[in-house]
Amino acid sequence: MHPWPATPEQAIALQEELRHQVDPTDSGAEPPRYVAGLDVAYDGDRLAAAVVVLQELREVDRAVVLGRTTFPYVPGLFAFREIPALVEALGRLRITPDLLVCDGQGLAHPRRFGLACHLGVLTGLPSVGVAKTAFVGSWAEPGPSRGATSDLVLDGEVVGQVVRTQNKTKPVFVSVGHRIGLGTAVERVLGLTPRYRLPETTRAADHLCRQALKGSS
DNA sequence: GCGACAG
DNA sequence: ATCTTGTCGC
């Protein structure tokens, strides 16, 4: 396929090329049976990537991969740091997810190709990005109650939604990854946050990669 | 030129 | 991401 970039310049060139393959529509948005959460934990140059698959908020599959960082953290190129290990973990699942819930941005990215878009395009699976903080764009504070939203705007374009997933808690930043529309993406995120600020998928993956990293040191 | 900057 | 205790509030 494509050679994995070794420099920031090559990484940006790859994003510019792949961004055109993103499908920002509901083409793969049938209510998902299997929803996967993905996350990576670090300890120096060691890392643990985890994927946890939930069916109706109950875990039905999981995979963890231990490895080492191969790319530095550069704002805008975050995906190159986590994708190799995450793709390997996805390959170790028994169940193929119907939706990937990524810890980071999708279209809410300088080149409209954040981690969620990249993972979606590489796997061909529907994906959404759920970030804890904003990266690009401007927005208004959404209302105080769960379900309230406001547009995340970049260059006059709505690239995501700021979503209040719990009453009086900081909102999360939801953006389209691949094969799902923004409205549906927000709907899915709200369905995954019945109790906490972050999706149950993200929480499960976060716990798994952290314990895996510790248990391997 | 000066800050800001997913995790 | 990670460094880090207690504490305020539901």
Side-chain angles (χ1 to χ4, degrees), chain A residues 69-95:
Chain A
T69 56
T70 60
F71 208 92
Y73 168 66
V74 178
L77 301 180
F78 172 56
F80 296 90
R81 189 172 168 74
E82 311 210 323
I83 280 186
L86 286 176
V87 168
E88 188 177 337
L90 282 168
R92 295 189 186 183
L93 292 172
R94 292 178 296 101
I95 297 173

Side-chain angles (χ1 to χ4, degrees), chain A residues 173-207:
Chain A
F173 298 77
V174 178
S175 58
V176 168
H178 188 51
R179 301 184 61 202
I180 190 168
L182 185 53
T184 303
V186 170
E187 196 178 306
R188 298 285 176 262
V189 170
L190 285 173
L192 291 166
T193 51
R195 166 137 196 218
Y196 301 101
R197 178 193 176 220
L198 299 179
E200 290 296 321
T201 38
T202 300
R203 290 167 50 77
D206 180 72
H207 289 158

